[in-house]
Amino acid sequence: MRVGPSQEEIRRSNLGALLRSVHLHGAMSRADLTTSLGLNRSTIGALTADLAAAGLVSEEVPQEQRGRAGRPSLVVRPESEKVYVYAFAVEVDRIVAARVGLGGVLLDRYEAARGRGEQDATAVVAPIAEFVRKVQAGVDTNAPGARLIGSGAAVSAMVRREDGFVRLGPQLGWVDQPLGEAIGEVIGDGRPVAVRNNADLAALAEHTRGAAVGCDNVVYLYGDAGVGGGIIAAGRPVTGHGGYGGEVGHMVVNPVGKPCSCGSHGCWETEIGEHALLAAAGRNPSAGREGILAVVDAASRGDATAQAAVRQVGDWLGFGVANLVNIFNPEMVIFGGTLREVYLASAAQVRSRLNRNGLPACREHVRLRTPQLGDDAALLGAAELAFEPLFADPLDPP
Amino acid sequence: MRVGPSQEEIRRSNLGALLRSVHLHGAMSRADLTTSLGLNRSTIGALTADLAAAGLVSEEVPQEQRGRAGRPSLVVRPESEKVYVYAFAVEVDRIVAARVGLGGVLLDRYEAARGRGEQDATAVVAPIAEFVRKVQAGVDTNAPGARLIGSGAAVSAMVRREDGFVRLGPQLGWVDQPLGEAIGEVIGDGRPVAVRNNADLAALAEHTRGAAVGCDNVVYLYGDAGVGGGIIAAGRPVTGHGGYGGEVGHMVVNPVGKPCSCGSHGCWETEIGEHALLAAAGRNPSAGREGILAVVDAASRGDATAQAAVRQVGDWLGFGVANLVNIFNPEMVIFGGTLREVYLASAAQVRSRLNRNGLPACREHVRLRTPQLGDDAALLGAAELAFEPLFADPLDPP
């Protein structure tokens, strides 16, 4: 155990904190940085100079102060066009590839349909390779100072944290697929690709830049064909020993329930996943997002079958939420993916069940919310993950 | 946000780390401290001198080196007899009060029966006051340098973290009781008493000094009339926004289950609490620990009714454990209180259900264990909590 940082470590930590500030909040004046970081003006000046020399930030006189008398407070701006990461999202129906600049700016975005039933991770590599080729051929990345920091990927599956190996992705039809390695070969920069479960990364993104900024205890639920969870406790992700935690969709809520794709019975996702709502509404259980939207729309127009189906699924949704509220005492629960639509259509059932099953002390301050970042939340979370090593050591990242 | 510690903060952090080391591991040589803290010999010497001057540690030549030639490596020992905290445990059947010395040494211990049905926190204050009076009249505490650091209390209830106010303790028959304030008045040292849920503190103690040392992801289950949980994720307790998290006993596992004391139905504790096993075995459901031991004993001697009851409860025990394993991906699950006996008698059922309902990646490395610290785990956790401020600032604690 090493205790007490050296001067060099303190400087590195200060550089990281400054860079992270402009990454999160966008351009900031030196005066604001001085206040928010609790460092003095000259230290901020020196740190900024180092980051600027490394091509990570630029400084300028703000537009409104130009031509005025007196010494202006310079504005420190992240070099979003030059300093970037690759971010990928592998979902049931689509593959998204993006280039995200420092500051969380989406620079390029590319989306391809994914053929259901592709049981091999290498099948997703083709569209990713195409995107990377396009980007590498592009003008921007050849601009002086353009610099790739790393890569991150979100996948709706259980992922081994250490090497991005997918253990199980029932909705993708994947078992034991070396996704991290496959993407790493395409990028070819020699750095490992950070791969995580998509709900974990969507939770990270909403916590960092979305609905849950400032909330230290958050349960994020993501629904499509399956149901995943991303948990933040005391400000940090709960991912467990191997990185497989947060599998709230496989919390058994109904001991006499239906078989689940995981091999168990009565898992929460058998009651609130897309199939469950579609089947209850008498529709094609594989109709996916379009089908869910159609059921919710029918319910809003008074279709009795659709309304009953929405109420039933909403009740089960509240049932599991109550369990998680009793376990985590969160400030916020966020409903993402198609659970957003299901929650909005059944908020009364969800709240009613939460009030019946949730302990008052655990539920009294909880807010039920929809995501702010939309369908790219996991993609943006993958970008945040890829930027992390830069903040740990801005002048000498891995 | 303040970034980068001052020299004074670094020194304080080093003093805390050194003191925590001898608190956790007992007497250590300067040489071992140098290695484990990653500081040089002269720094260790200076820090030790400061702590010794403050009466927190003493230094001596180890017995086996006395009279030998050469310069011996001094041994740094926590002043366990002089530097102490008060620790209390308020349980359904008993109240335990203790004085615990630095290093986790139990100096005095006092136990009183608690009358079931005492619905007022002030009723527990009488035995605590008696204990404190005895201690204060004792010789040891009047010895030169004897010093009270603070107080902690464990209670089988939901506790508001900020002031130790008990919101709900169904098994105690408590609603809205100012336990922290009541104990604080008895101690009369002007410091707030840190109060937490007993399962949270037992988990902390097992993580610090017991079965889960070195495990960063732990689920601790405590059973008596009710069932509580203490969760450690990524090395830190999961207590939620207000401190009420970990109420795993009120995870609903049986939607058509029995009414629970919390007002809900089918909570896990209705299936695995003491009442459930006793009722299933055809015994008096209020027979408590003695009754549980009798059922387990009867099952081991071949009583078919008792065996069936143990199997049934063991299956439900595994059911909830599987849910928690899928959510937390822990390295270890610990069964405390009377769940220890239930688990030992039904380990096959628990493991079988865990294998059926738990996702392979989440359960593959999980170890199922019994506590190492016995029935005083929560008490010892309360002592750890009370010592915390000392490690944050050893020379000037609150």
Side-chain angles (χ1 to χ4, degrees), chain A residues 1 3 7 14 36-37 167 234 236 240-242 244 246-247 250 252-253 255 319 323 326-329 331 364, chain B residues 1 3 7 14 36-37 167 234 236 240-242 244 246-247 250 252-253 255 319 323 326-329 331 364:
Chain A
M1 183 173 56
V3 181
Q7 290 301 319
N14 286 339
S36 76
L37 297 179
R167 294 289 301 275
R236 302 201 306 184
H241 178 52
Y244 307 116
E247 288 293 336
H250 299 284
V252 178
V253 294
F319 189 98
N323 280 357
N326 288 344
I327 294 171
F328 289 105
N329 181 206
E331 296 154 86
E364 64 192 350
Chain B
M1 183 172 58
V3 180
Q7 289 302 318
N14 285 340
S36 76
L37 297 180
R167 292 288 302 275
R236 303 201 306 184
H241 179 52
Y244 307 115
E247 288 293 336
H250 299 284
V252 178
V253 293
F319 190 98
N323 280 357
N326 288 344
I327 294 171
F328 289 104
N329 181 206
E331 295 154 86
E364 65 192 351

Side-chain angles (χ1 to χ4, degrees), chain A residues 153-177:
Chain A
V155 58
S156 44
M158 301 180 71
V159 186
R160 187 162 65 201
R161 188 171 29 206
E162 59 188 90
D163 61 358
F165 186 86
V166 171
R167 294 289 301 275
L168 184 69
Q171 312 306 339
L172 295 171
W174 285 10
V175 177
D176 290 347
Q177 293 296 319

Side-chain angles (χ1 to χ4, degrees), chain A residues 335-361:
Chain A
F335 300 88
T338 46
L339 282 180
R340 176 181 183 278
E341 275 62 48
V342 175
Y343 166 68
L344 289 174
S346 66
Q349 281 75 35
V350 173
R351 185 50 89 166
S352 158
R353 175 57 80 172
L354 174 57
N355 288 347
R356 266 149 71 202
N357 290 19
L359 294 160

